[in-house]
Amino acid sequence: MPLNHTSIYAELTEDHFIAIGKLVIEWSNIEFLLGVLLSRLLITPEYLGRTYTDELNALKIKNAINNAVEIHKYRYQSKIISDNELIEVSEINVRADKLRTLRNKFAHFCWTRVSDEEIFGTSFSGKIPKSKKNAKDFIKLKLSELVDAYNEAYEIVDKLTELIRRLPQLEENQNLIKLLSRTR
């Protein structure tokens, strides 16, 4: 039986559910914006880029962004996107990845209330209890930590939005279509 269904004392509080919901909603924004960011790095019109990024999970998008940053640095010598902007891309990618790990725990762990302030999640892993991986199979979080994670996610969304606005964009317009149709 799921942990939070065992008794009314195990059920998460409304405050817990609200904080988790807000975090998950912001994660959706982050994941979408990381796809847009990857499209910009790949110098692809956003809509066409989504046909690629929509098929990737967040970990693969993170890795593709890292690869694109390296290509911009070494192959294009930061002539398309500046070194400073590439550093910003890398930094925001690391920040988002930390939240991806936490978001995955909410999606895949079973949760229960420890107190009105603290919740506990576990994956009910079949791993050996003393293994290093087993330590990643449970987590305790305070409500204040959930709020902090939400605030971090919100800040990442704002930063991604601002960064994307500054990066070069290949517009999907009639001129692009005409240019590309002439090359056939």
Side-chain angles (χ1 to χ4, degrees), residues 34-44 52 60-78 80-82 85-87 89-90 93 167:
L34 288 172
V36 174
L37 177 63
L38 180 57
S39 294
R40 295 285 175 97
L41 292 169
L42 297 177
I43 313 168
T44 305
Y52 176 69
K60 289 184 180 182
I61 290 175
K62 177 199 86 153
N63 291 338
I65 288 171
N66 288 340
N67 290 335
V69 165
E70 292 302 305
I71 289 170
H72 275 281
K73 283 181 185 175
Y74 298 107
R75 184 173 180 94
Y76 303 128
Q77 300 172 345
S78 303
I80 300 169
I81 299 173
S82 73
E85 288 171 325
L86 292 172
I87 289 168
V89 167
S90 295
N93 205 22
L167 295 181

Side-chain angles (χ1 to χ4, degrees), residues 151-169:
N151 289 333
E152 170 73 0
Y154 194 93
E155 188 178 305
I156 289 171
V157 167
D158 284 347
K159 180 68 178 170
L160 276 167
T161 302
E162 183 264 327
L163 181 59
I164 288 166
R165 282 188 187 128
R166 287 189 283 121
L167 295 181
Q169 179 179 9

Side-chain angles (χ1 to χ4, degrees), residues 106-117:
F106 285 112
H108 303 292
F109 281 21
C110 292
W111 291 90
T112 189
R113 175 174 50 162
V114 175
S115 69
D116 286 351
E117 175 59 23

Side-chain angles (χ1 to χ4, degrees), residues 13-48:
T13 67
E14 290 299 312
D15 289 339
H16 293 134
F17 282 123
I18 289 168
I20 293 166
K22 289 170 78 172
L23 177 60
V24 170
I25 293 295
E26 285 306 312
W27 174 255
S28 297
N29 293 331
I30 290 169
E31 196 164 4
F32 170 75
L33 290 170
L34 288 172
V36 174
L37 177 63
L38 180 57
S39 294
R40 295 285 175 97
L41 292 169
L42 297 177
I43 313 168
T44 305
E46 183 181 324
Y47 192 74
L48 184 59

Side-chain angles (χ1 to χ4, degrees), residues 89-108:
V89 167
S90 295
E91 288 172 350
I92 202 74
N93 205 22
V94 168
R95 287 175 66 189
D97 192 51
K98 289 178 184 172
L99 281 179
R100 178 187 60 82
T101 303
L102 180 59
R103 177 264 174 214
N104 285 347
K105 287 181 173 32
F106 285 112
H108 303 292

